[in-house]
Amino acid sequence: MCDYSLHMVRTRPAKVGEKIITRDFGTGTRGFAAPEDCSVAVCLLPGTELAFEKPVKYQATLMFSSQYRPHRCDLSPDQQGRA
């Protein structure tokens, strides 16, 4: 599922097992893209599960500077039993 703000960007659905990166498409939001073609937004279907190679971080922008902050993703109790 792609954000409505990516309506001016070419999109395609994600593929199973595909590695994706985050990218600023210049539309006021960020989205996912494949490393080999960063001009196309990769859309995730509802219910898609993601696995991360590194701990998740988000970028907080403050007036004239930005910094990366760690973010923890926890599983809800009903997901903890699934592998």
Side-chain angles (χ1 to χ4, degrees):
M1 179 166 151
C2 281
D3 187 274
Y4 69 91
S5 62
L6 292 173
H7 72 275
M8 298 297 287
V9 177
R10 286 186 3 226
T11 62
R12 68 166 178 80
K15 300 171 189 166
V16 174
E18 178 177 32
K19 290 191 178 192
I20 54 178
I21 58 172
T22 56
R23 183 178 188 295
D24 182 347
F25 288 97
T27 59
T29 191
R30 292 179 188 222
F32 293 112
E36 62 274 5
D37 188 359
C38 290
S39 65
V40 177
V42 174
C43 303
L44 304 177
L45 295 174
T48 299
E49 294 184 16
L50 300 175
F52 300 95
E53 291 181 350
K54 299 177 185 176
V56 175
K57 296 180 181 180
Y58 70 95
Q59 185 175 8
T61 304
L62 306 171
M63 292 296 276
F64 299 106
S65 68
S66 63
Q67 55 187 313
Y68 284 93
R69 298 181 181 168
H71 179 75
R72 184 172 176 185
C73 297
D74 289 325
L75 294 174
S76 63
D78 64 317
Q79 293 175 319
Q80 290 179 2
R82 289 191 254 163

